[in-house]
Amino acid sequence: MSQGVLAIAEQLDGAFRKVTFEAVSEGKKIAAGMGCSLTVVVPGSGMESVARDLAKYGADKIIIADNAALKEYTTDAYANVVADIIGKEDPAVVILGATAQGKDLAPRLAARLDAAIAIDVIEIKVDGDSITATRPMYGGKLLADVVLEGTPKIIATRPNAMGVLESDGAGAVETVSADVGETAIRFVEKTMESNKLELTEADIIVSGGRGMGGGDFAILEALAAAMGGAVGASRVAVDEGWRAHSDQVGQTGKVVSPNLYVACGISGAIQHLAGMSSSKVVVAINKDPDAPIFSKADYGVVGDLFELVPAITEEIKAIKG
Amino acid sequence: MDIVVLLKQVPATEAMIGIADDGKSIKTDDIKWVINPYDEFAVEEALKIKEEQGGTVTILSVGTDKTVEAIRTGLAMGADNGVLINDPATAGCDSLGIAKILAEALKTMPYDLIIAGQRAVDDDNYIVGGAVAEYLGIPQISLVNKEEIVDGKIRCNRTVEGGTVVLDAPLPALFTTQRGLNEPRYASLPGIMKAKKKPLDTKTLSDIGIEAPSPKVGIAALRMPPERVGGRMIEGESAQEKAALLVKALHEEAKVV
Ligand SMILES: Cc1cc2nc3c(=O)[nH]c(=O)nc-3n(C[C@H](O)[C@H](O)[C@H](O)COP(=O)(O)OP(=O)(O)OC[C@H]3O[C@@H](n4cnc5c(N)ncnc54)[C@H](O)[C@@H]3O)c2cc1C
Ligand SMILES: Nc1ncnc2c1ncn2[C@@H]1O[C@H](COP(=O)(O)O)[C@@H](O)[C@H]1O
């Protein structure tokens, strides 16, 4: 009989992504709820030294699937290796992060294993063998409680939506030589914007919209830097060429769930709200007291962002000393 | 180059979404329906590839009578044919079921390239593209904002957190769209006239020789997300005063900085 929870770790250049700790922590909670153990699969190359850290988040067993061909993510190599391990381990639940990688891998696995799947899950309830996952739909206008049937059940958790919890796991490490099988996709190269904080992982985001009036986002960069956050943008700011597409928050941009979202010169169109409505605390800064964003914000400040943002940066610096 | 675009019709993004009496579906009375924005990118990219390399663009959709409108819009943009799978039995399908049906339909059609949206902005599932590729046993590249086809191979720029990855795959392949790929064209008036005469096949599940796959994922309940109750306006005489009060609230009350 299928049992146990299997989490899939995600690494970038040999380091785990934050969502891995979230998925492993959540996996541990499910395992506790089902009264079973948690195994974490670590696909990659040369991951031995960092893989042990996962015991801190409750991994009872850590399977390192080691192969130079797994250093960079490609759908077919990863799907082949992970599906193989799932076949052998026969887990009741498979959990991973709903990142670009997780969203690519999970449907492929689900189709191969004929498994129930839910992506971008923000809450999981376990009741015996039955699992209900909550996920936003319609750009966050609704929340859906979905029931997953059969085994395994594949759940991809939205980055930043779940907490990271430390707990003890035996952390028995096993390294398997992973067979990537037949593959068609070739990794050519990657370009990463170094030392830029990824929006979906950021705890704090300061976003600018048309109200910025141009491509100079220096005052937002300064506020974000003072708080240790990242800078996002509305679609208008991207369409105007002020910011990169990868900075766009919203229905056709990124969906983010930071602890704090500061919207500056953004009116609060429904397509923008779709990307940030699951933020824990929202601050709106807008010179128009009737801007719709104020009704979706926890704190609103009416005024000129060019005066307010630098003043806020000074206040933040003052409390951070 | 035979290109198939997987297209879903969805409520317009500005539509107000309400929950129907069954608690599991949405009210559809006053909704305006559109092509899923990510599938619009897919149609546009297919047309661009066709313009460069020749071939056909077919739009494939699982939908209902009203989906004809969305397919016609795609045809008016410039696609050549439409195929609509219209069968009441698909109503209960989950995403994997829809993917299975699309894959079976694709097996009866010529294709070198399949383009899907990264997600449909109604259920935001992110599943169908990858699952179709798996059922067909072809490579997939998702979240693509640039592609180039040379010598039977597609090279794609795939957006990932914090960067871009370049990948190659042999055709036939499937890729899913990311914003930045293109700016979809509008259907022109002559395009709309021409679209009326373009072939649009309607099929049932028995036409493609498949029964509705039984769902493994079901919606137990839909609910409204918790409203933000805060909505507190920070008042002050000057920008400095407002800033100080805001940061105090964020620090001491919300405890986020
Ligand atoms: C299919 C579809 C998908 C879309 N996807 C997205 C998406 O992913 N993300 C997205 O953001 N939008 C998206 N949009 C666009 C969306 O509808 C809005 O057009 C957009 O969000 C508006 O951007 P904005 O708030 O920056 O600009 P505006 O709506 O023009 O608002 C600018 C605001 O700045 C304020 N302002 C101006 N100057 C100042 C100042 N000096 N100080 C303070 N405030 C000032 C103004 O009062 C105003 O409220 C989409 C639209 C469609 C149809
Ligand atoms: N009913 C459908 N008919 C045709 N294509 C679909 C359908 N549902 C989803 N798709 C395709 O799959 C993509 C992802 O959808 P989803 O997995 O539902 O988020 C969409 O952007 C479409 O390209």
Side-chain angles (χ1 to χ4, degrees):
Chain A
M1 206 193 88
S2 311
Q3 64 169 338
V5 176
L6 186 139
I8 304 168
E10 176 174 342
Q11 54 91 20
L12 174 72
D13 296 330
F16 289 121
R17 278 203 182 277
K18 184 176 158 204
V19 74
T20 292
F21 305 119
E22 296 167 5
V24 171
S25 302
E26 203 58 28
K28 185 67 176 183
K29 278 204 246 164
I30 300 172
M34 294 182 134
C36 60
S37 66
L38 171 68
T39 299
V40 186
V41 179
V42 182
S45 172
M47 294 297 292
E48 282 81 1
S49 53
V50 288
R52 284 170 207 286
D53 290 351
L54 297 172
K56 266 206 323 243
Y57 307 97
D60 297 303
K61 187 161 107 181
I62 299 163
I63 301 177
I64 302 174
D66 192 77
N67 190 318
L70 298 174
K71 188 176 177 311
E72 301 292 347
Y73 172 80
T74 54
T75 315
D76 40 17
Y78 267 62
N80 292 347
V81 165
V82 175
D84 235 25
I85 294 173
I86 293 175
K88 289 193 188 109
E89 297 289 317
D90 193 20
V93 177
V94 174
I95 190 163
L96 72 170
T99 52
Q101 175 174 320
K103 285 170 175 160
D104 185 75
L105 179 63
R108 195 95 201 184
L109 289 174
R112 190 168 304 179
L113 304 167
D114 200 19
I117 173 170
I119 294 183
D120 241 0
V121 168
I122 57 170
E123 207 186 318
I124 300 168
K125 284 209 186 75
V126 181
D127 181 11
D129 285 340
S130 134
I131 288 199
T132 306
T134 301
R135 48 186 312 280
M137 284 187 179
Y138 296 91
K141 286 180 219 169
L142 294 181
L143 295 179
D145 297 325
V146 299
V147 179
L148 291 84
E149 314 266 352
T151 54
K153 303 170 183 14
I154 301 180
I155 298 174
T157 62
R158 174 180 284 188
N160 256 359
M162 311 275 193
V164 174
L165 285 177
E166 298 209 0
S167 64
D168 286 333
V173 178
E174 184 185 314
T175 302
V176 298
S177 61
D179 181 7
V180 299
E182 260 184 58
T183 58
I185 301 170
R186 296 279 164 264
F187 171 86
V188 180
E189 61 177 6
K190 70 170 188 249
T191 15
M192 303 302 284
E193 294 171 63
S194 56
N195 65 46
K196 189 174 155 184
L197 188 55
E198 163 57 26
L199 279 183
T200 53
E201 291 179 0
D203 287 328
I204 295 179
I205 296 175
V206 181
S207 278
R210 196 199 303 272
M212 294 302 294
D216 184 357
F217 271 49
I219 55 169
L220 299 195
E221 301 278 3
L223 175 56
M227 297 192 290
V231 175
S234 76
R235 171 153 161 183
V236 168
V238 172
D239 283 349
E240 291 290 335
W242 302 341
R243 302 297 290 182
H245 280 126
S246 56
D247 290 346
Q248 185 182 319
V249 172
Q251 187 112 44
T252 41
K254 286 185 174 157
V255 179
V256 298
S257 315
N259 285 330
L260 173 62
Y261 188 87
V262 186
C264 307
I266 293 177
S267 61
I270 199 146
Q271 295 91 353
H272 188 79
L273 301 176
M276 45 64 79
S277 60
S278 60
S279 305
K280 276 131 228 157
V281 174
V282 174
V283 172
I285 297 170
N286 199 301
K287 68 177 183 192
D288 172 8
D290 297 324
I293 188 81
F294 286 126
S295 67
K296 300 293 173 191
D298 299 288
Y299 299 100
V301 192
V302 177
D304 184 351
L305 71 89
F306 294 100
E307 290 172 16
L308 284 165
V309 172
I312 295 167
T313 307
E314 288 314 309
E315 291 294 331
I316 294 281
K317 284 186 181 155
I319 61 160
K320 298 236 159 163
Chain B
M1 178 87 43
D2 292 317
I3 309 168
V4 180
V5 173
L6 306 183
L7 180 148
K8 188 177 190 190
Q9 191 186 35
V10 298
T13 52
E14 64 271 17
M16 296 284 286
I17 301 292
I19 301 169
D21 291 337
D22 67 357
K24 299 178 180 189
S25 58
I26 61 157
K27 286 188 195 149
T28 50
D29 316 343
D30 306 317
I31 284 180
K32 186 180 148 221
W33 295 83
V34 299
I35 299 176
N36 177 36
Y38 289 106
D39 303 350
E40 235 175 4
F41 297 138
V43 174
E44 176 62 36
E45 201 64 11
L47 295 174
K48 280 201 166 137
I49 296 169
K50 182 192 154 177
E51 282 157 10
E52 271 177 29
Q53 317 220 350
T56 61
V57 175
T58 301
I59 290 173
L60 173 62
S61 187
V62 175
T64 60
D65 293 348
K66 68 175 178 306
T67 311
V68 168
E69 213 179 291
I71 298 177
R72 287 274 176 224
T73 305
L75 296 175
M77 287 170 74
D80 302 291
N81 324 286
V83 177
L84 170 63
I85 300 163
N86 186 352
D87 193 317
T90 63
C93 288
D94 61 11
S95 309
L96 278 193
I98 297 293
K100 218 172 262 170
I101 294 166
L102 289 166
E104 284 308 311
L106 281 156
K107 286 178 188 167
T108 68
M109 308 163 52
Y111 63 83
D112 302 297
L113 178 65
I114 302 168
I115 315 180
Q118 56 165 277
R119 69 180 193 266
V121 304
D122 50 359
D123 46 26
D124 290 320
N125 274 330
Y126 296 92
I127 294 170
V128 171
V132 166
E134 171 68 20
Y135 289 135
L136 295 173
I138 61 172
Q140 107 212 15
I141 302 179
S142 49
L143 303 169
V144 170
N145 68 2
K146 189 174 164 219
E147 56 74 31
E148 188 186 16
I149 297 169
V150 186
D151 295 337
K153 254 202 222 156
I154 187 162
R155 172 164 292 193
C156 295
N157 284 16
R158 157 173 156 78
T159 59
V160 298
E161 291 80 7
T164 307
V165 176
V166 182
L167 297 163
D168 274 349
L171 297 179
L174 178 148
F175 77 83
T176 73
T177 58
Q178 174 66 298
R179 191 166 130 70
L181 182 64
N182 56 45
E183 280 305 325
R185 67 194 69 186
Y186 289 101
S188 65
L189 200 56
I192 294 168
M193 298 311 290
K194 268 196 230 156
K196 292 188 176 147
K197 297 199 192 76
K198 287 182 179 170
L200 197 170
D201 280 351
T202 300
K203 294 186 177 182
T204 61
L205 292 186
S206 65
D207 291 337
I208 48 174
I210 180 175
E211 278 181 32
S214 50
K216 287 203 158 63
V217 179
I219 295 179
L222 291 178
R223 52 198 162 95
M224 291 291 171
E227 277 284 320
R228 259 172 224 287
V229 278
R232 203 175 109 201
M233 300 307 283
I234 305 284
E235 313 281 352
E237 292 300 313
S238 63
Q240 280 65 32
E241 190 186 340
K242 289 178 193 168
L245 290 170
L246 173 70
V247 172
K248 191 167 149 60
L250 294 177
H251 186 55
E252 290 171 10
E253 203 175 272
K255 299 193 166 52
V256 284
V257 291

